[in-house]
Amino acid sequence: MNYNPMRNLPADAGYKAGDVLVLCGELFGRGYANGIVEQARRLGMTIIGTTVGRRESDGTLRPLNQDELAAAEELLGAKIINIPLEAGFDMEPAANGLTPLDQLKGAKPDEWSTIRLDLNALEESRAAGTKRLRANLAAVAAELAKRVPAGANMLLVHTMAGGIPRARLFMPLLNRVFKGQGDKYLSSADFWGADLGKLCDWSFNEVTADSLAYLIDETASLRDQVASAGGKVSYAAYGYHGCEVLVNGAYKWQSYTPYLQGWAKMRLEDHAAAAWAKGIKATVYNCPEIQTNSSALFLGVEISLYPLLEALKKEGAGVAAEVTAACNKLLAEGATLEKMLERANDYLASPVMKPFDAISAWPHHSTNEQMEFMLTRSAELIAMNANPKEIVCSVLSGAVFRGVGKLMLDSSWEPQAPVWWLNHDIIAKRLAKD
Ligand SMILES: NC(=O)c1ccc[n+]([C@@H]2O[C@H](COP(=O)([O-])OP(=O)(O)OC[C@H]3O[C@@H](n4cnc5c(N)ncnc54)[C@H](O)[C@@H]3O)[C@@H](O)[C@H]2O)c1
């Protein structure tokens, strides 16, 4: 692991009308991808979307139907190549005809530690899932080859992350791992060591990490086509590996625990580094904790977002006053942003968090004490908002994904490294620029 925080702003991207941004993964209302799509649109780039597809009630993976496609294209504001790019293998039959979900039929959450899975069958399902995704990526690449104009530059943006197997018993268990305290606490290390943890590990690797490697492989001839017509080709992917935020007035690396996707996110970095070594410009941008559909499970992940307000002020971001005003409007009676920031800082600076402050030992497993501290503080901070569904963190998340989008687009024009950390300092600096 080579910690590589971006400290200097990249030059403005030279992307222009006719250049193409391909979004590999779907766009959701508050997801990270909104930032880069917004910035690409500002530059006049053509946006092309993709879909993960949908599952029929019998489990078959299919493209979007007409209504779903129209809704997705309206949200993205662009055309979508309607070939399902779902990654993972939880619904993929092994040679015996059974899927990983079939193996878990009837299993009860309280049996989690003794459930044994047929690992050979899982491996067969995994291979089948990989084969399907690769074939579908190749079909998307063939479609792109027809749509990218000669001479255009192309940026492929990988947003894919996830892979929690869709068996019923996972949600109650993962709720205990990520939100459980006291009697409900379930140690992330114990869960990770069980067969169910192994299934999650494999699945996270497929969805969050290896999907980037497959994308790079399956777009090899598209890459050659674009490059031989004089266009630049870059790949950009969203990573997470902790983030520096202001603690007691200085930028300090911290992270959310227990981030069980962390091993997959490091594998994602390795894929970018391996591609880079072959001369392919693939970069993972490790981004701050924000609130999105995907991070909703990780209660407490948002605590490190509060100090962004201070970073915006420190770096002179033009949006600081606007963001502060928008946050102020959401506060409960009697609450103040000063108090919020003080309580978030007290958490981040606490001795309870000390054992979790080594980036070299990341990702960390949970402890009962740390979970209780994090979840209690998270609840206390959320209670300072008038409406728990409309909180200060959503305003701050918007500022982060916009700043990240601008940085990723600029940096992708002349990529300099396979892995960057985009911390609160550089994001605030980029938001100060325009
Ligand atoms: N939210 C955070 O705090 C945070 C922090 C750092 C990095 N990220 C990363 O940002 C990226 C976008 O996530 P987000 O938080 O904006 O949430 P999101 O829910 O908006 O996006 C998740 C993406 O993953 C795709 N996806 C989900 N399951 C998939 C599957 N089985 N196969 C293929 N694609 C699948 C979705 O289509 C979507 O594009 C992810 O890589 C995420 O890990 C998020």
Side-chain angles (χ1 to χ4, degrees), residues 156-187:
L156 294 116
V157 179
H158 176 278
T159 68
M160 297 176 173
I164 296 175
R166 286 162 282 191
R168 243 187 225 158
L169 88 167
F170 275 104
M171 274 340 272
L173 278 174
L174 292 176
N175 273 327
R176 287 186 57 199
V177 171
F178 295 117
K179 299 179 185 169
Q181 47 180 317
D183 291 351
K184 292 264 181 302
Y185 169 74
L186 177 55
S187 142

PDB file of all heavy atoms in Angstrom, residues 156-187:
ATOM      1  N   LEU A 156     -14.007   5.885 -19.196  1.00  0.00           N
ATOM      2  CA  LEU A 156     -14.920   4.865 -18.654  1.00  0.00           C
ATOM      3  C   LEU A 156     -14.906   4.977 -17.135  1.00  0.00           C
ATOM      4  O   LEU A 156     -13.834   4.872 -16.516  1.00  0.00           O
ATOM      5  CB  LEU A 156     -14.475   3.466 -19.094  1.00  0.00           C
ATOM      6  CG  LEU A 156     -14.596   3.267 -20.613  1.00  0.00           C
ATOM      7  CD1 LEU A 156     -13.226   3.048 -21.230  1.00  0.00           C
ATOM      8  CD2 LEU A 156     -15.499   2.096 -20.940  1.00  0.00           C
ATOM      9  N   VAL A 157     -16.066   5.210 -16.557  1.00  0.00           N
ATOM     10  CA  VAL A 157     -16.159   5.432 -15.112  1.00  0.00           C
ATOM     11  C   VAL A 157     -16.819   4.232 -14.443  1.00  0.00           C
ATOM     12  O   VAL A 157     -17.975   3.910 -14.730  1.00  0.00           O
ATOM     13  CB  VAL A 157     -16.977   6.713 -14.819  1.00  0.00           C
ATOM     14  CG1 VAL A 157     -17.095   6.937 -13.323  1.00  0.00           C
ATOM     15  CG2 VAL A 157     -16.330   7.918 -15.483  1.00  0.00           C
ATOM     16  N   HIS A 158     -16.077   3.593 -13.569  1.00  0.00           N
ATOM     17  CA  HIS A 158     -16.546   2.382 -12.882  1.00  0.00           C
ATOM     18  C   HIS A 158     -17.105   2.780 -11.508  1.00  0.00           C
ATOM     19  O   HIS A 158     -16.380   3.331 -10.685  1.00  0.00           O
ATOM     20  CB  HIS A 158     -15.349   1.431 -12.727  1.00  0.00           C
ATOM     21  CG  HIS A 158     -15.624   0.182 -11.951  1.00  0.00           C
ATOM     22  ND1 HIS A 158     -15.604   0.142 -10.572  1.00  0.00           N
ATOM     23  CD2 HIS A 158     -15.922  -1.078 -12.354  1.00  0.00           C
ATOM     24  CE1 HIS A 158     -15.873  -1.097 -10.171  1.00  0.00           C
ATOM     25  NE2 HIS A 158     -16.064  -1.845 -11.223  1.00  0.00           N
ATOM     26  N   THR A 159     -18.413   2.503 -11.316  1.00  0.00           N
ATOM     27  CA  THR A 159     -19.035   2.869 -10.022  1.00  0.00           C
ATOM     28  C   THR A 159     -19.420   1.624  -9.225  1.00  0.00           C
ATOM     29  O   THR A 159     -19.939   1.735  -8.122  1.00  0.00           O
ATOM     30  CB  THR A 159     -20.341   3.663 -10.243  1.00  0.00           C
ATOM     31  OG1 THR A 159     -21.304   2.780 -10.825  1.00  0.00           O
ATOM     32  CG2 THR A 159     -20.151   4.858 -11.135  1.00  0.00           C
ATOM     33  N   MET A 160     -19.199   0.446  -9.801  1.00  0.00           N
ATOM     34  CA  MET A 160     -19.781  -0.779  -9.230  1.00  0.00           C
ATOM     35  C   MET A 160     -19.222  -1.126  -7.855  1.00  0.00           C
ATOM     36  O   MET A 160     -18.012  -1.181  -7.665  1.00  0.00           O
ATOM     37  CB  MET A 160     -19.499  -1.948 -10.168  1.00  0.00           C
ATOM     38  CG  MET A 160     -20.147  -1.784 -11.517  1.00  0.00           C
ATOM     39  SD  MET A 160     -19.676  -3.151 -12.592  1.00  0.00           S
ATOM     40  CE  MET A 160     -20.723  -2.826 -14.000  1.00  0.00           C
ATOM     41  N   ALA A 161     -20.120  -1.358  -6.935  1.00  0.00           N
ATOM     42  CA  ALA A 161     -19.722  -1.844  -5.616  1.00  0.00           C
ATOM     43  C   ALA A 161     -20.931  -2.506  -4.989  1.00  0.00           C
ATOM     44  O   ALA A 161     -22.065  -2.118  -5.251  1.00  0.00           O
ATOM     45  CB  ALA A 161     -19.242  -0.705  -4.733  1.00  0.00           C
ATOM     46  N   GLY A 162     -20.682  -3.491  -4.199  1.00  0.00           N
ATOM     47  CA  GLY A 162     -21.786  -4.188  -3.536  1.00  0.00           C
ATOM     48  C   GLY A 162     -21.491  -5.666  -3.475  1.00  0.00           C
ATOM     49  O   GLY A 162     -20.324  -6.065  -3.354  1.00  0.00           O
ATOM     50  N   GLY A 163     -22.524  -6.476  -3.565  1.00  0.00           N
ATOM     51  CA  GLY A 163     -22.307  -7.920  -3.579  1.00  0.00           C
ATOM     52  C   GLY A 163     -22.815  -8.630  -2.336  1.00  0.00           C
ATOM     53  O   GLY A 163     -22.454  -9.784  -2.100  1.00  0.00           O
ATOM     54  N   ILE A 164     -23.643  -7.956  -1.532  1.00  0.00           N
ATOM     55  CA  ILE A 164     -24.230  -8.690  -0.402  1.00  0.00           C
ATOM     56  C   ILE A 164     -25.175  -9.740  -0.990  1.00  0.00           C
ATOM     57  O   ILE A 164     -26.101  -9.387  -1.735  1.00  0.00           O
ATOM     58  CB  ILE A 164     -25.017  -7.743   0.540  1.00  0.00           C
ATOM     59  CG1 ILE A 164     -24.057  -6.744   1.179  1.00  0.00           C
ATOM     60  CG2 ILE A 164     -25.773  -8.546   1.615  1.00  0.00           C
ATOM     61  CD1 ILE A 164     -24.733  -5.683   2.026  1.00  0.00           C
ATOM     62  N   PRO A 165     -24.941 -11.026  -0.718  1.00  0.00           N
ATOM     63  CA  PRO A 165     -25.786 -12.057  -1.308  1.00  0.00           C
ATOM     64  C   PRO A 165     -27.247 -11.832  -0.905  1.00  0.00           C
ATOM     65  O   PRO A 165     -27.536 -11.439   0.231  1.00  0.00           O
ATOM     66  CB  PRO A 165     -25.233 -13.355  -0.715  1.00  0.00           C
ATOM     67  CG  PRO A 165     -23.826 -13.016  -0.308  1.00  0.00           C
ATOM     68  CD  PRO A 165     -23.879 -11.588   0.121  1.00  0.00           C
ATOM     69  N   ARG A 166     -28.148 -12.073  -1.879  1.00  0.00           N
ATOM     70  CA  ARG A 166     -29.547 -11.722  -1.648  1.00  0.00           C
ATOM     71  C   ARG A 166     -30.339 -12.792  -0.891  1.00  0.00           C
ATOM     72  O   ARG A 166     -31.512 -12.989  -1.135  1.00  0.00           O
ATOM     73  CB  ARG A 166     -30.211 -11.387  -2.995  1.00  0.00           C
ATOM     74  CG  ARG A 166     -29.777 -10.033  -3.524  1.00  0.00           C
ATOM     75  CD  ARG A 166     -30.053  -9.856  -4.983  1.00  0.00           C
ATOM     76  NE  ARG A 166     -29.058 -10.550  -5.797  1.00  0.00           N
ATOM     77  CZ  ARG A 166     -28.929 -10.391  -7.121  1.00  0.00           C
ATOM     78  NH1 ARG A 166     -29.731  -9.569  -7.769  1.00  0.00           N
ATOM     79  NH2 ARG A 166     -27.996 -11.043  -7.787  1.00  0.00           N
ATOM     80  N   ALA A 167     -29.685 -13.502   0.011  1.00  0.00           N
ATOM     81  CA  ALA A 167     -30.406 -14.477   0.847  1.00  0.00           C
ATOM     82  C   ALA A 167     -30.960 -13.729   2.054  1.00  0.00           C
ATOM     83  O   ALA A 167     -30.298 -12.831   2.581  1.00  0.00           O
ATOM     84  CB  ALA A 167     -29.464 -15.586   1.310  1.00  0.00           C
ATOM     85  N   ARG A 168     -32.167 -14.131   2.468  1.00  0.00           N
ATOM     86  CA  ARG A 168     -32.873 -13.401   3.519  1.00  0.00           C
ATOM     87  C   ARG A 168     -32.094 -13.266   4.818  1.00  0.00           C
ATOM     88  O   ARG A 168     -32.205 -12.279   5.519  1.00  0.00           O
ATOM     89  CB  ARG A 168     -34.177 -14.125   3.823  1.00  0.00           C
ATOM     90  CG  ARG A 168     -35.327 -13.234   3.498  1.00  0.00           C
ATOM     91  CD  ARG A 168     -36.616 -13.809   3.933  1.00  0.00           C
ATOM     92  NE  ARG A 168     -37.570 -13.639   2.846  1.00  0.00           N
ATOM     93  CZ  ARG A 168     -38.654 -14.353   2.700  1.00  0.00           C
ATOM     94  NH1 ARG A 168     -38.921 -15.312   3.548  1.00  0.00           N
ATOM     95  NH2 ARG A 168     -39.468 -14.123   1.702  1.00  0.00           N
ATOM     96  N   LEU A 169     -31.279 -14.290   5.127  1.00  0.00           N
ATOM     97  CA  LEU A 169     -30.655 -14.249   6.452  1.00  0.00           C
ATOM     98  C   LEU A 169     -29.563 -13.186   6.562  1.00  0.00           C
ATOM     99  O   LEU A 169     -29.160 -12.832   7.661  1.00  0.00           O
ATOM    100  CB  LEU A 169     -30.095 -15.630   6.829  1.00  0.00           C
ATOM    101  CG  LEU A 169     -28.673 -16.016   6.417  1.00  0.00           C
ATOM    102  CD1 LEU A 169     -28.262 -17.265   7.159  1.00  0.00           C
ATOM    103  CD2 LEU A 169     -28.605 -16.238   4.933  1.00  0.00           C
ATOM    104  N   PHE A 170     -29.093 -12.645   5.417  1.00  0.00           N
ATOM    105  CA  PHE A 170     -27.981 -11.693   5.512  1.00  0.00           C
ATOM    106  C   PHE A 170     -28.371 -10.363   6.147  1.00  0.00           C
ATOM    107  O   PHE A 170     -27.589  -9.808   6.913  1.00  0.00           O
ATOM    108  CB  PHE A 170     -27.343 -11.443   4.138  1.00  0.00           C
ATOM    109  CG  PHE A 170     -26.310 -12.483   3.812  1.00  0.00           C
ATOM    110  CD1 PHE A 170     -26.580 -13.494   2.912  1.00  0.00           C
ATOM    111  CD2 PHE A 170     -25.071 -12.467   4.434  1.00  0.00           C
ATOM    112  CE1 PHE A 170     -25.638 -14.475   2.634  1.00  0.00           C
ATOM    113  CE2 PHE A 170     -24.117 -13.439   4.169  1.00  0.00           C
ATOM    114  CZ  PHE A 170     -24.411 -14.444   3.261  1.00  0.00           C
ATOM    115  N   MET A 171     -29.554  -9.841   5.827  1.00  0.00           N
ATOM    116  CA  MET A 171     -29.860  -8.500   6.328  1.00  0.00           C
ATOM    117  C   MET A 171     -29.910  -8.441   7.850  1.00  0.00           C
ATOM    118  O   MET A 171     -29.258  -7.581   8.441  1.00  0.00           O
ATOM    119  CB  MET A 171     -31.120  -7.909   5.671  1.00  0.00           C
ATOM    120  CG  MET A 171     -30.856  -7.197   4.352  1.00  0.00           C
ATOM    121  SD  MET A 171     -29.166  -6.660   4.036  1.00  0.00           S
ATOM    122  CE  MET A 171     -29.145  -5.063   4.787  1.00  0.00           C
ATOM    123  N   PRO A 172     -30.640  -9.369   8.515  1.00  0.00           N
ATOM    124  CA  PRO A 172     -30.595  -9.293   9.983  1.00  0.00           C
ATOM    125  C   PRO A 172     -29.184  -9.455  10.550  1.00  0.00           C
ATOM    126  O   PRO A 172     -28.812  -8.777  11.509  1.00  0.00           O
ATOM    127  CB  PRO A 172     -31.504 -10.448  10.441  1.00  0.00           C
ATOM    128  CG  PRO A 172     -31.893 -11.201   9.220  1.00  0.00           C
ATOM    129  CD  PRO A 172     -31.580 -10.382   8.027  1.00  0.00           C
ATOM    130  N   LEU A 173     -28.386 -10.302   9.904  1.00  0.00           N
ATOM    131  CA  LEU A 173     -27.024 -10.502  10.411  1.00  0.00           C
ATOM    132  C   LEU A 173     -26.158  -9.273  10.191  1.00  0.00           C
ATOM    133  O   LEU A 173     -25.436  -8.824  11.085  1.00  0.00           O
ATOM    134  CB  LEU A 173     -26.364 -11.675   9.665  1.00  0.00           C
ATOM    135  CG  LEU A 173     -26.707 -13.061  10.164  1.00  0.00           C
ATOM    136  CD1 LEU A 173     -26.099 -14.106   9.247  1.00  0.00           C
ATOM    137  CD2 LEU A 173     -26.186 -13.230  11.591  1.00  0.00           C
ATOM    138  N   LEU A 174     -26.246  -8.719   8.983  1.00  0.00           N
ATOM    139  CA  LEU A 174     -25.418  -7.547   8.689  1.00  0.00           C
ATOM    140  C   LEU A 174     -25.890  -6.328   9.477  1.00  0.00           C
ATOM    141  O   LEU A 174     -25.082  -5.475   9.845  1.00  0.00           O
ATOM    142  CB  LEU A 174     -25.371  -7.277   7.180  1.00  0.00           C
ATOM    143  CG  LEU A 174     -24.615  -8.358   6.411  1.00  0.00           C
ATOM    144  CD1 LEU A 174     -24.665  -8.102   4.913  1.00  0.00           C
ATOM    145  CD2 LEU A 174     -23.156  -8.470   6.853  1.00  0.00           C
ATOM    146  N   ASN A 175     -27.181  -6.279   9.768  1.00  0.00           N
ATOM    147  CA  ASN A 175     -27.657  -5.203  10.648  1.00  0.00           C
ATOM    148  C   ASN A 175     -26.987  -5.307  12.010  1.00  0.00           C
ATOM    149  O   ASN A 175     -26.655  -4.301  12.625  1.00  0.00           O
ATOM    150  CB  ASN A 175     -29.178  -5.261  10.803  1.00  0.00           C
ATOM    151  CG  ASN A 175     -29.852  -4.479   9.692  1.00  0.00           C
ATOM    152  OD1 ASN A 175     -29.329  -3.475   9.221  1.00  0.00           O
ATOM    153  ND2 ASN A 175     -31.003  -4.950   9.260  1.00  0.00           N
ATOM    154  N   ARG A 176     -26.772  -6.533  12.473  1.00  0.00           N
ATOM    155  CA  ARG A 176     -26.083  -6.695  13.761  1.00  0.00           C
ATOM    156  C   ARG A 176     -24.603  -6.329  13.634  1.00  0.00           C
ATOM    157  O   ARG A 176     -24.030  -5.718  14.520  1.00  0.00           O
ATOM    158  CB  ARG A 176     -26.227  -8.137  14.257  1.00  0.00           C
ATOM    159  CG  ARG A 176     -27.635  -8.454  14.770  1.00  0.00           C
ATOM    160  CD  ARG A 176     -27.688  -9.844  15.374  1.00  0.00           C
ATOM    161  NE  ARG A 176     -26.716  -9.984  16.447  1.00  0.00           N
ATOM    162  CZ  ARG A 176     -26.283 -11.155  16.919  1.00  0.00           C
ATOM    163  NH1 ARG A 176     -26.739 -12.290  16.420  1.00  0.00           N
ATOM    164  NH2 ARG A 176     -25.400 -11.200  17.899  1.00  0.00           N
ATOM    165  N   VAL A 177     -23.978  -6.708  12.499  1.00  0.00           N
ATOM    166  CA  VAL A 177     -22.553  -6.385  12.306  1.00  0.00           C
ATOM    167  C   VAL A 177     -22.351  -4.869  12.210  1.00  0.00           C
ATOM    168  O   VAL A 177     -21.431  -4.319  12.807  1.00  0.00           O
ATOM    169  CB  VAL A 177     -21.997  -7.084  11.038  1.00  0.00           C
ATOM    170  CG1 VAL A 177     -20.591  -6.598  10.703  1.00  0.00           C
ATOM    171  CG2 VAL A 177     -22.002  -8.599  11.204  1.00  0.00           C
ATOM    172  N   PHE A 178     -23.244  -4.189  11.465  1.00  0.00           N
ATOM    173  CA  PHE A 178     -23.013  -2.760  11.204  1.00  0.00           C
ATOM    174  C   PHE A 178     -23.767  -1.828  12.157  1.00  0.00           C
ATOM    175  O   PHE A 178     -23.401  -0.662  12.276  1.00  0.00           O
ATOM    176  CB  PHE A 178     -23.390  -2.420   9.755  1.00  0.00           C
ATOM    177  CG  PHE A 178     -22.518  -3.108   8.746  1.00  0.00           C
ATOM    178  CD1 PHE A 178     -23.039  -4.022   7.844  1.00  0.00           C
ATOM    179  CD2 PHE A 178     -21.157  -2.850   8.702  1.00  0.00           C
ATOM    180  CE1 PHE A 178     -22.229  -4.679   6.924  1.00  0.00           C
ATOM    181  CE2 PHE A 178     -20.331  -3.494   7.790  1.00  0.00           C
ATOM    182  CZ  PHE A 178     -20.875  -4.409   6.902  1.00  0.00           C
ATOM    183  N   LYS A 179     -24.827  -2.333  12.766  1.00  0.00           N
ATOM    184  CA  LYS A 179     -25.632  -1.423  13.598  1.00  0.00           C
ATOM    185  C   LYS A 179     -25.876  -1.983  14.992  1.00  0.00           C
ATOM    186  O   LYS A 179     -26.639  -1.396  15.759  1.00  0.00           O
ATOM    187  CB  LYS A 179     -26.995  -1.170  12.927  1.00  0.00           C
ATOM    188  CG  LYS A 179     -26.895  -0.512  11.565  1.00  0.00           C
ATOM    189  CD  LYS A 179     -28.290  -0.331  10.976  1.00  0.00           C
ATOM    190  CE  LYS A 179     -28.227   0.202   9.567  1.00  0.00           C
ATOM    191  NZ  LYS A 179     -29.493   0.167   8.877  1.00  0.00           N
ATOM    192  N   GLY A 180     -25.295  -3.132  15.309  1.00  0.00           N
ATOM    193  CA  GLY A 180     -25.606  -3.790  16.576  1.00  0.00           C
ATOM    194  C   GLY A 180     -24.706  -3.327  17.709  1.00  0.00           C
ATOM    195  O   GLY A 180     -23.498  -3.198  17.549  1.00  0.00           O
ATOM    196  N   GLN A 181     -25.324  -3.073  18.854  1.00  0.00           N
ATOM    197  CA  GLN A 181     -24.536  -2.789  20.047  1.00  0.00           C
ATOM    198  C   GLN A 181     -25.166  -3.541  21.211  1.00  0.00           C
ATOM    199  O   GLN A 181     -26.292  -4.028  21.107  1.00  0.00           O
ATOM    200  CB  GLN A 181     -24.441  -1.295  20.309  1.00  0.00           C
ATOM    201  CG  GLN A 181     -25.756  -0.555  20.213  1.00  0.00           C
ATOM    202  CD  GLN A 181     -25.600   0.926  20.487  1.00  0.00           C
ATOM    203  OE1 GLN A 181     -24.905   1.326  21.396  1.00  0.00           O
ATOM    204  NE2 GLN A 181     -26.261   1.742  19.693  1.00  0.00           N
ATOM    205  N   GLY A 182     -24.411  -3.646  22.305  1.00  0.00           N
ATOM    206  CA  GLY A 182     -24.922  -4.393  23.468  1.00  0.00           C
ATOM    207  C   GLY A 182     -25.180  -5.844  23.074  1.00  0.00           C
ATOM    208  O   GLY A 182     -24.343  -6.473  22.428  1.00  0.00           O
ATOM    209  N   ASP A 183     -26.376  -6.360  23.409  1.00  0.00           N
ATOM    210  CA  ASP A 183     -26.717  -7.756  23.097  1.00  0.00           C
ATOM    211  C   ASP A 183     -26.743  -8.032  21.605  1.00  0.00           C
ATOM    212  O   ASP A 183     -26.575  -9.167  21.165  1.00  0.00           O
ATOM    213  CB  ASP A 183     -28.145  -8.075  23.613  1.00  0.00           C
ATOM    214  CG  ASP A 183     -28.190  -8.093  25.113  1.00  0.00           C
ATOM    215  OD1 ASP A 183     -27.101  -8.041  25.713  1.00  0.00           O
ATOM    216  OD2 ASP A 183     -29.310  -8.148  25.661  1.00  0.00           O
ATOM    217  N   LYS A 184     -27.013  -6.997  20.845  1.00  0.00           N
ATOM    218  CA  LYS A 184     -27.160  -7.171  19.390  1.00  0.00           C
ATOM    219  C   LYS A 184     -25.806  -7.118  18.663  1.00  0.00           C
ATOM    220  O   LYS A 184     -25.721  -7.370  17.465  1.00  0.00           O
ATOM    221  CB  LYS A 184     -28.054  -6.056  18.815  1.00  0.00           C
ATOM    222  CG  LYS A 184     -29.504  -6.136  19.251  1.00  0.00           C
ATOM    223  CD  LYS A 184     -30.312  -6.862  18.184  1.00  0.00           C
ATOM    224  CE  LYS A 184     -31.773  -6.998  18.474  1.00  0.00           C
ATOM    225  NZ  LYS A 184     -32.121  -7.674  19.698  1.00  0.00           N
ATOM    226  N   TYR A 185     -24.746  -6.764  19.392  1.00  0.00           N
ATOM    227  CA  TYR A 185     -23.433  -6.633  18.748  1.00  0.00           C
ATOM    228  C   TYR A 185     -22.987  -7.973  18.173  1.00  0.00           C
ATOM    229  O   TYR A 185     -23.050  -8.997  18.836  1.00  0.00           O
ATOM    230  CB  TYR A 185     -22.409  -6.137  19.782  1.00  0.00           C
ATOM    231  CG  TYR A 185     -20.975  -6.214  19.315  1.00  0.00           C
ATOM    232  CD1 TYR A 185     -20.483  -5.318  18.375  1.00  0.00           C
ATOM    233  CD2 TYR A 185     -20.103  -7.195  19.814  1.00  0.00           C
ATOM    234  CE1 TYR A 185     -19.165  -5.386  17.939  1.00  0.00           C
ATOM    235  CE2 TYR A 185     -18.784  -7.269  19.381  1.00  0.00           C
ATOM    236  CZ  TYR A 185     -18.324  -6.367  18.450  1.00  0.00           C
ATOM    237  OH  TYR A 185     -17.028  -6.442  18.013  1.00  0.00           O
ATOM    238  N   LEU A 186     -22.536  -7.947  16.903  1.00  0.00           N
ATOM    239  CA  LEU A 186     -21.933  -9.145  16.306  1.00  0.00           C
ATOM    240  C   LEU A 186     -20.571  -8.728  15.769  1.00  0.00           C
ATOM    241  O   LEU A 186     -20.463  -7.843  14.910  1.00  0.00           O
ATOM    242  CB  LEU A 186     -22.837  -9.681  15.187  1.00  0.00           C
ATOM    243  CG  LEU A 186     -22.332 -10.895  14.408  1.00  0.00           C
ATOM    244  CD1 LEU A 186     -21.987 -12.057  15.328  1.00  0.00           C
ATOM    245  CD2 LEU A 186     -23.396 -11.355  13.403  1.00  0.00           C
ATOM    246  N   SER A 187     -19.536  -9.357  16.290  1.00  0.00           N
ATOM    247  CA  SER A 187     -18.163  -8.983  15.935  1.00  0.00           C
ATOM    248  C   SER A 187     -17.937  -9.202  14.440  1.00  0.00           C
ATOM    249  O   SER A 187     -18.230 -10.277  13.901  1.00  0.00           O
ATOM    250  CB  SER A 187     -17.206  -9.844  16.760  1.00  0.00           C
ATOM    251  OG  SER A 187     -16.086 -10.210  16.004  1.00  0.00           O
TER     252      SER A 187
END
